Amino acid sequence: MKNIYSVCSNLSRISSALALLALCATMARAQSGVLIPTSTNNPDPSVLSLDEMVVNVSIDNQFARVRVIQIFGNHTDRLQEGKYVFAIPTTASISDFAVWDGDVRIPGVILENRRAEELYRDLALQQIDPGLLSQGEDRDTTVFSVKIAPIPAYGTKRLELEYSEVLRVDNLESFFSFPFKPGDYGSQTVGRLEIRLQIMGKFPMTDLNFKSSAYKLNFIENRPQYKSASFEANRVELTEDLAFSYGIAIPETAFEFLAYRAMERVSADELRDPRLAQREPDGYFEASAVFNEGKRSPGDSEFAPPRSVLVMLDTSLSMNGEKLDRAYETAEGVLRSLMPRDTFNLILFNDDVASFSKDATAATPGQIESALSFIKAGYLSGGTDFASALERATAALKIMPAKGQKSLVLITDGNSSLGTTKMRAIVDRFNKANEAGPRARLYVFGIGTDTNIGLLAELARSSRGYFDWTRQTDDLSFKLKAFLSKVGREPIDSLKLQFNDAANFYHVYPDYDSTAYDGTRLSFVGRYKRPGSASLTVSGSASGKPLRISEQVTLPEKDDAHSHLPRLWARARVDALLRQISLEGETREAIDEIIALSKKYKFVTPYTSFLAAPRSLLRPRVIRPGDPVLRVRADQSITEVTAVFPFGLTKQLSYIKSEDVWETRFIAPREMTDGVYKCRLILIDQKGRAYQEEKSFVIDSRPPRLQASVNQTLIHAGDDLTITVRSDNDTRAIAARMFGALPAPVVWSAKTKSSVGYLRIPAGLPSGTYTIQITAEDFAHNSSTTELTIEVIGN
């Protein structure tokens, strides 16, 4: 057992850790747009100052798009470089980042993880430190940092960043926050600050309430369904976040529908498919229900029905530091929200389970204080046996007195380290334990940048419960208030979207029966094939009674007003594929689709990264000797592009309008050795001005080298075989095959620094010796194969 003494600066118990937390953990709150000179390693406005900042916030029916422009000034007589740090909200994702080099805008791109990490290492060796944003092990995916160089003497550097998020509706209220507030690096002063705000929605908005007084926005328009405001000032100290909330005024449950259909830029692979090249693009839609059934009681909880609540608090070692502070704050909020007529119990769990009381007890003020003292007297210890803890908690909840809805509140980071760690197994064990008697609803509050969102969301979904999460450094007030308003309350259940012409709609998400609460908004996104009209119905049950909301809608032939819908749908589609992978295992088809959607719609996934560096460095053309194509993207003002190759050839490129790309065919001499080469590009714009750029390409004639191993050479039919492959950095795809089994993708794992795959041995396979064939292909389409043998024991 490991107590807080060994975790947090001579503090032995949770109460001491909470009281002196600031002494044991540095507040890791990042902020928006700080540029730190590498010469000082701390913000220094006498070296690099924030001269100008423009923040554009546009909210379209709860979809928030935030675009930030910052200009930093160098006040020294020499070149400077700096580290740029930006924190985004937990529910947001970066969609664009660019650095300006003089008059040239250098954007970032989405790449496959392995390719991104390879380029990141290569660029670092060239003393270029690009920005790398990715999801995965041990990464805070809400903090983006990039090294910026060079910043000219007495010159400026312009940076642009865009992120988007869907704002939740809770208790018919929505909340937005932009992180100006000082964090790790202290407060900033900006020479000139501009804030532009637009909010539009189908339903009237009420009570637009700005939480911060530092930025007094002036309204340009202030209509119920459209609001715009701005703020401009010089010499502004950024001491507070830009935070506001607004109400949604609907007298009863209402339906809203948005659609988008316009010509899209398609990839080269799509153009090669005649079915995609010839047909009109399919449309996107969002159908939402905002519930106002008149059954909310956040302000009059004394009249709410009694509840039976069991609180589970994770006290494993992964919950140390600021996670512990947020976890205690959440547990205290849950306990203090209970009324004396409610019954409750409390469990602390890690590799063991400790109960506050043998039996459930009334939630009197005295018992609540005793429960809080029980938490403070506990120890952080060991790992987390998640499945066992859930089984024991569910069993304890079953024998609690039946007072209203039985609710299980789980406060954790969701990182199971003991017993089974597979999502499917944990969910199945919880569901089995929850089946006996009345099913309990699971309300989950995840804490930490490493929260296992997939597992916790699936657990809540399987019990028709509720899930939310936060960083350990965030202000919990709004999220915790919304969470507490749902615990033990009657939900609106079994919600689904139905169509009168189901064949016209596809890939609609969520694709399972959903749960919502009065005062919240539930949104469905999907695609439609043909324009026209349709009848849509959201159906479910509220308080045991059927609920139906129907609307006749128009599916437009062309409407580009809501341009966020394609990306919103793509994000939902990827989330559905990731859920499928977590429950059923990886497939090459699912991974390829995730990567393609990520690149097309520009957002980061567990299989892709956002890499910011000059495009010519990010995307060198990898070819075999003799490969004939060079492709270049250029600004729309460019009218002519000529390439000068290192072996003496000069070629003029042709513009391919359908792909928005310049292209030429050439022959790389077969005597060229493998390596990186550069060709010079001469670009002419509409005014006859000439520009020069370099584009890299790689000659690669060698197939990837492979080192493969399996976790066991003797295996039973029906079991999973783990395959680990180490290969060259330029390997783009690896697959494992054996007789009678489906091919298994072997994908890059940042944690193991190798590629890992899981091959299911067919259940009916006879005993014997079998060959595992592993094939790999690199970016130049060179391929190689290696084989391993295993012994299978048949059933």
Side-chain angles (χ1 to χ4, degrees), residues 2 56 83 185 241 261 276 385 390 448 518 573 713 731:
K2 193 172 184 182
N56 285 298
K83 179 184 179 183
Y185 307 109
D241 289 345
R261 191 170 188 260
L276 298 178
D385 190 343
L390 282 167
D518 201 19
R573 171 68 178 160
T713 56
T731 305

Side-chain angles (χ1 to χ4, degrees), residues 224-397:
Q225 290 169 284
Y226 179 81
K227 301 180 185 297
S228 65
S230 65
F231 170 86
E232 295 183 17
N234 298 325
R235 300 296 303 168
V236 180
E237 189 172 359
L238 305 178
T239 58
E240 296 181 274
D241 289 345
L242 172 66
F244 59 85
S245 63
Y246 56 90
I248 297 176
I250 54 170
E252 59 185 11
T253 297
F255 186 94
E256 63 177 326
F257 182 81
L258 305 175
Y260 175 93
R261 191 170 188 260
M263 293 300 296
E264 293 180 302
R265 177 182 290 175
V266 297
S267 69
D269 290 337
E270 289 175 319
L271 282 171
R272 294 188 191 105
D273 186 336
R275 297 168 301 171
L276 298 178
Q278 292 173 10
R279 66 171 172 81
E280 290 293 317
D282 289 346
Y284 303 83
F285 74 88
E286 179 185 26
S288 303
V290 182
F291 298 101
N292 188 1
E293 297 292 299
K295 296 178 173 53
R296 297 184 319 284
S297 54
D300 55 346
S301 56
E302 58 181 297
F303 301 111
R307 297 171 289 175
S308 297
V309 179
L310 178 62
V311 180
M312 295 180 66
L313 178 60
D314 186 345
T315 55
S316 64
L317 288 174
S318 69
M319 296 295 289
N320 68 81
E322 290 171 281
K323 279 189 186 177
L324 181 62
D325 191 28
R326 299 284 84 78
Y328 180 85
E329 185 178 346
T330 304
E332 183 180 25
V334 173
L335 292 172
R336 294 196 185 282
S337 72
L338 301 176
M339 302 297 291
R341 66 177 173 279
D342 298 328
T343 57
F344 83 100
N345 205 345
L346 168 69
I347 284 177
L348 308 183
F349 72 96
N350 38 63
D351 52 4
D352 199 4
V353 172
S355 297
F356 162 64
S357 175
K358 181 179 178 182
D359 301 306
T361 182
T364 62
Q367 290 286 39
I368 296 300
E369 294 302 325
S370 296
L372 292 173
S373 297
F374 175 73
I375 295 175
K376 294 175 182 178
Y379 289 84
L380 293 188
S381 172
T384 310
D385 190 343
F386 218 72
S388 295
L390 282 167
E391 287 174 333
R392 292 182 63 176
T394 304
L397 187 62

Side-chain angles (χ1 to χ4, degrees), residues 88-106:
I88 61 174
T90 54
T91 56
S93 60
I94 287 180
S95 55
D96 194 19
F97 178 78
V99 179
W100 286 74
D101 186 5
D103 295 330
V104 178
R105 186 178 188 271
I106 303 172

Side-chain angles (χ1 to χ4, degrees), residues 407-427:
S407 303
L408 189 59
V409 177
L410 175 61
I411 305 165
T412 178
D413 58 12
N415 292 310
S416 183
S417 56
L418 301 173
T420 182
T421 60
K422 292 186 176 181
M423 179 193 290
R424 170 65 77 182
I426 294 173
V427 172

Side-chain angles (χ1 to χ4, degrees), residues 766-782:
S767 298
T769 301
Y770 291 86
T771 299
I772 307 294
Q773 185 182 71
I774 300 165
T775 59
E777 183 180 90
D778 63 18
F779 288 97
H781 304 292
N782 300 303

Side-chain angles (χ1 to χ4, degrees), residues 332-580:
E332 183 180 25
V334 173
L335 292 172
R336 294 196 185 282
S337 72
L338 301 176
M339 302 297 291
R341 66 177 173 279
D342 298 328
T343 57
F344 83 100
N345 205 345
L346 168 69
I347 284 177
L348 308 183
F349 72 96
N350 38 63
D351 52 4
D352 199 4
V353 172
S355 297
F356 162 64
S357 175
K358 181 179 178 182
D359 301 306
T361 182
T364 62
Q367 290 286 39
I368 296 300
E369 294 302 325
S370 296
L372 292 173
S373 297
F374 175 73
I375 295 175
K376 294 175 182 178
Y379 289 84
L380 293 188
S381 172
T384 310
D385 190 343
F386 218 72
S388 295
L390 282 167
E391 287 174 333
R392 292 182 63 176
T394 304
L397 187 62
K398 295 292 184 184
I399 63 174
M400 288 177 66
K403 280 194 172 185
Q405 172 68 50
K406 288 191 174 184
S407 303
L408 189 59
V409 177
L410 175 61
I411 305 165
T412 178
D413 58 12
N415 292 310
S416 183
S417 56
L418 301 173
T420 182
T421 60
K422 292 186 176 181
M423 179 193 290
R424 170 65 77 182
I426 294 173
V427 172
D428 286 349
R429 284 178 62 177
F430 169 66
N431 286 335
K432 184 177 180 181
N434 200 23
E435 282 172 357
R439 287 176 64 88
R441 293 189 187 271
L442 179 61
Y443 300 84
V444 187
F445 201 84
I447 294 175
T449 54
D450 60 344
T451 296
N452 190 337
I453 296 172
L455 171 62
L456 297 183
E458 190 63 30
L459 284 168
R461 184 183 299 118
S462 69
S463 69
R464 301 281 195 258
Y466 180 77
F467 166 70
D468 201 357
W469 76 284
T470 184
R471 284 184 295 213
Q472 63 267 36
T473 54
D474 286 345
D475 181 354
L476 291 186
S477 54
F478 185 82
K479 283 192 174 183
L480 188 55
K481 175 186 174 184
F483 182 79
L484 296 178
S485 71
K486 298 171 179 60
V487 174
R489 308 304 182 197
E490 189 69 29
I492 302 168
D493 216 345
S494 303
L495 289 161
K496 65 185 71 174
L497 182 64
Q498 298 169 311
F499 313 91
N500 67 330
D501 181 12
N504 196 32
F505 298 87
Y506 66 100
H507 288 336
V508 179
Y509 302 102
D511 55 357
Y512 47 82
D513 288 1
S514 300
T515 300
Y517 288 81
D518 201 19
T520 67
R521 175 179 184 262
L522 177 65
S523 176
F524 296 88
V525 293
R527 306 291 304 270
Y528 67 90
K529 300 174 185 176
R530 300 180 305 277
S533 62
S535 178
L536 274 60
T537 300
V538 175
S539 64
S541 63
S543 301
K545 298 179 181 179
L547 179 146
R548 289 177 66 85
I549 316 157
S550 296
E551 190 89 357
Q552 193 74 19
V553 302
T554 298
L555 306 174
E557 183 174 358
K558 184 176 181 182
D559 187 342
D560 58 2
H562 304 289
S563 59
H564 66 278
L565 290 180
R567 191 164 184 264
L568 187 64
W569 168 83
R571 179 76 261 182
R573 171 68 178 160
V574 165
D575 288 344
L577 290 169
L578 291 173
R579 177 175 178 247
Q580 171 189 314

Side-chain angles (χ1 to χ4, degrees), residues 27-32 85-87 143 179 181-185 471 473:
M27 190 67 170
R29 186 189 193 278
Q31 60 211 80
S32 62
V85 179
F86 195 101
V143 176
K181 189 176 179 180
D184 287 352
Y185 307 109
R471 284 184 295 213
T473 54

